[in-house]
Amino acid sequence: MAARCLQGFSSLSLSPTTTHTPSSRPPSLLITCSSKSDNAPLIGRKLRAAVIGGGPAGSSAAEALAAGGIETYLFERSPSSAKPCGGALPLCMLTEFDIPAHLIDRHVTRMKIISPSNLAVDFGKTLKAHEFIPMLRREVLDSFLRSRAQSNGANLIQGLVLNLELPTSSKAPYVVHYTAENSRKSLAVDVVIGADGANSRVAKSIDAGDYTCAIAFQERIKLPEEKMEYYENLAEMYVGNDVSPDFYAWVFPKCDHVAVGTGTVCSKQDIKRYQRGIRERAKRKISGGKVMKVEAHPIPEHPRARRVVGRVALVGDAAGYVTKCSGEGIYFAAKSGRMCGEAVVRASEGGERMIGERDLKREYLREWDTKYVGTFRFLDVLQRVFYGDNAGREALVEMCGNEYVQRMTFESYLYKKLAEGNRLEDAKLMWNTIGSLIKCGIVGRTETHKVASFL
């Protein structure tokens, strides 16, 4: 005889627009299944998941869930807004995530890295004829990914998630409380994927652990036509204490404007001073421009201590998946969202079974860490060595002039796989790196030994 599981499973009707007063409980819906196991078959329904946050991470998760047979609800607070972001994608993301060409604003084939002493290095000499760095606007990409998730069956809810009510038992649901259309509403679900950014409310609700955040500040500037031509296929990165004490500043081309911004962890209160610094460094090239929009947003600096708790998983910025040194986050957001969504589909056998924490850790977290934890650690070490002071930054720019460094960097970045190196060139690179560090007076740091060990 089938036993009743999920006793007291508080749930709404399947419509996400049901309204409740703040103090009321959603009506009870008892769900029967064939056993009390965490992976018990569900009777009369599919697994129900809420994805909180509609950026690349959340939309990719929702698409994978809905396409895999999960009843999926995607929450996005403000579909028309976008976080400040350079907007660069690795080339492989276009095919891996089927990003249409018409979304791309610019095909960047030239990059310049400018040192504190204004030494400029062309960083892109090794790009092949068909290779480029796609540049796009986040609001365009995010809208496309959300629409695609909807077309695969995800239910999009435009609303602000207030809090996540945790289950009273291992068999009870999670209840998402949110506001939409000026009303408080609730939705009970089996699984929650938190994709709600660096200040994730989902992460706070499961006590995922604090982490250090940077702040990114960006101005979108409309340039005169003759100056916009200079940035037609060129992106610039600036390093120096005047533009950031621990990161870099940028001028990246968009469809009809440039994004000029910077970021910092250790001196967030001085972010406007560093923004003035990048505007001063690029003054000659952006003078006469008109500021169209000013944006600021927190950026995580490392993965959270706990990214899976119970039937809740964190992805994207909420999980802390932004790389040091480069500050790359879009690809890792979308990739983590997709991997997590696919993990839920596999563990639940297409939404037919309940899942538990062990399933999420096995199918999602272990796979993610195996694939990417080495990359994150290596880039963390590089940032500690080369972004700590102007001496390190000068060494970094000097290294970037090496064509072997450029080829290895671009192959790894564009295709998200370890570039196949050459032992002789690797040995030369190691000695050149040590030489640059000695020249800049930073060879005695503990982190330099870590760099040498990676090389």
Side-chain angles (χ1 to χ4, degrees):
M1 180 183 295
R4 280 198 170 181
C5 296
L6 306 181
Q7 291 296 321
F9 189 130
S10 300
S11 177
L12 302 182
S13 66
L14 299 187
S15 169
T17 58
T18 305
T19 302
H20 298 276
T21 61
S23 60
S24 69
R25 297 285 301 170
S28 177
L29 176 63
L30 298 180
I31 305 297
T32 59
C33 60
S34 62
S35 76
K36 295 183 179 181
S37 167
D38 284 346
N39 299 101
L42 298 169
I43 304 301
R45 70 178 183 99
K46 287 293 192 93
L47 192 77
R48 184 188 296 180
V51 181
I52 315 301
S59 296
S60 298
E63 179 186 4
L65 289 167
I70 311 298
E71 183 185 338
T72 306
Y73 296 90
L74 174 61
F75 289 83
E76 170 53 38
R77 174 183 183 179
S78 181
S80 61
S81 66
K83 91 175 198 182
C85 176
L89 301 183
L91 189 60
C92 66
M93 188 171 176
L94 300 184
T95 53
E96 186 175 345
F97 286 85
D98 296 318
I99 307 298
H102 71 267
L103 299 187
I104 302 170
D105 289 332
R106 300 282 174 173
H107 293 64
V108 169
T109 55
R110 299 165 53 229
M111 288 193 69
K112 286 188 177 182
I113 301 180
I114 298 96
S115 77
S117 63
N118 281 324
L119 169 68
V121 168
D122 290 326
F123 195 76
K125 293 180 287 186
T126 64
L127 285 175
K128 298 180 177 64
H130 68 281
E131 293 178 332
F132 62 95
I133 299 174
M135 289 282 181
L136 43 65
R137 287 160 290 162
R138 276 293 301 274
E139 62 268 29
V140 174
L141 175 65
D142 293 8
S143 177
F144 168 77
L145 293 176
R146 279 194 298 270
S147 295
R148 192 165 68 185
Q150 283 184 278
S151 69
N152 276 275
N155 300 283
L156 178 62
I157 300 176
Q158 183 175 344
L160 171 63
V161 172
L162 302 173
N163 69 289
L164 177 64
E165 184 179 336
L166 303 184
T168 55
S169 73
S170 61
K171 303 300 182 183
Y174 293 86
V175 180
V176 180
H177 297 286
Y178 64 101
T179 58
E181 301 173 345
N182 298 316
S183 299
R184 286 184 63 110
K185 305 180 182 185
S186 300
L187 180 71
V189 296
D190 303 302
V191 178
V192 177
I193 296 179
D196 48 338
N199 291 329
S200 170
R201 293 187 178 185
V202 175
K204 290 182 176 67
S205 71
I206 62 171
D207 191 24
D210 294 329
Y211 58 11
T212 304
C213 276
I215 184 171
F217 189 96
Q218 176 175 276
E219 295 173 301
R220 301 195 190 198
I221 300 177
K222 179 87 170 180
L223 298 182
E225 185 174 343
E226 65 276 9
K227 293 197 172 182
M228 194 66 210
E229 288 180 1
Y230 174 78
Y231 288 107
E232 180 178 0
N233 62 351
L234 171 69
E236 293 180 325
M237 296 171 58
Y238 293 78
V239 290
N241 284 330
D242 56 333
V243 298
S244 176
D246 51 3
F247 200 54
Y248 66 86
W250 61 86
V251 181
F252 287 168
K254 304 294 182 181
C255 59
D256 61 351
H257 63 277
V258 291
V260 181
T262 185
T264 179
V265 178
C266 65
S267 297
K268 292 189 279 288
Q269 70 279 6
D270 296 321
I271 189 65
K272 290 186 177 180
R273 174 162 65 88
Y274 300 127
Q275 182 67 12
R276 290 194 295 271
I278 176 57
R279 293 195 62 162
E280 182 62 30
R281 290 275 292 276
K283 182 177 180 179
R284 179 178 57 84
K285 290 169 280 190
I286 65 172
S287 63
K290 181 180 179 181
V291 176
M292 303 164 54
K293 190 176 184 181
V294 179
E295 305 165 308
H297 202 80
I299 306 294
E301 277 293 290
H302 56 81
R304 289 189 186 270
R306 292 176 293 281
R307 289 161 286 153
V308 169
V309 177
R311 287 171 274 127
V312 179
L314 303 177
V315 296
D317 283 13
Y321 295 152
V322 176
T323 61
K324 295 287 190 72
C325 201
S326 65
E328 182 186 3
I330 298 177
Y331 176 82
F332 292 111
K335 186 68 172 181
S336 63
R338 174 177 284 183
M339 288 179 67
C340 188
E342 290 175 343
V344 172
V345 172
R346 285 195 305 273
S348 68
E349 298 180 6
E352 299 294 336
R353 291 178 175 273
M354 183 58 65
I355 68 170
E357 180 176 308
R358 285 181 298 178
D359 299 306
L360 287 171
K361 286 184 174 179
R362 180 187 67 251
E363 298 290 340
Y364 160 54
L365 207 54
R366 184 186 301 170
E367 293 291 323
W368 174 267
D369 287 346
T370 299
K371 196 174 183 69
Y372 295 114
V373 71
T375 298
F376 278 72
R377 287 175 178 170
F378 177 58
L379 292 174
D380 183 24
V381 172
L382 286 185
Q383 179 160 321
R384 291 173 186 270
V385 173
F386 293 112
Y387 285 2
D389 55 31
N390 278 350
R393 298 179 189 110
E394 292 287 351
L396 173 66
V397 174
E398 181 178 310
M399 282 178 55
C400 288
N402 184 292
E403 290 195 9
Y404 182 67
V405 171
Q406 293 189 22
R407 183 175 72 81
M408 295 293 286
T409 300
F410 274 116
E411 285 189 16
S412 298
Y413 171 74
L414 292 177
Y415 303 108
K416 285 295 169 284
K417 61 182 181 181
L418 186 64
E420 185 176 345
N422 176 285
R423 289 187 178 183
L424 178 59
E425 292 295 333
D426 286 341
K428 290 180 181 179
L429 174 59
M430 182 181 72
W431 287 112
N432 288 339
T433 301
I434 293 174
S436 295
L437 296 174
I438 292 173
K439 179 180 177 181
C440 296
I442 57 176
V443 76
R445 294 180 186 165
T446 301
E447 290 85 355
T448 61
H449 301 295
K450 295 180 181 179
V451 172
S453 68
F454 274 108
L455 296 174

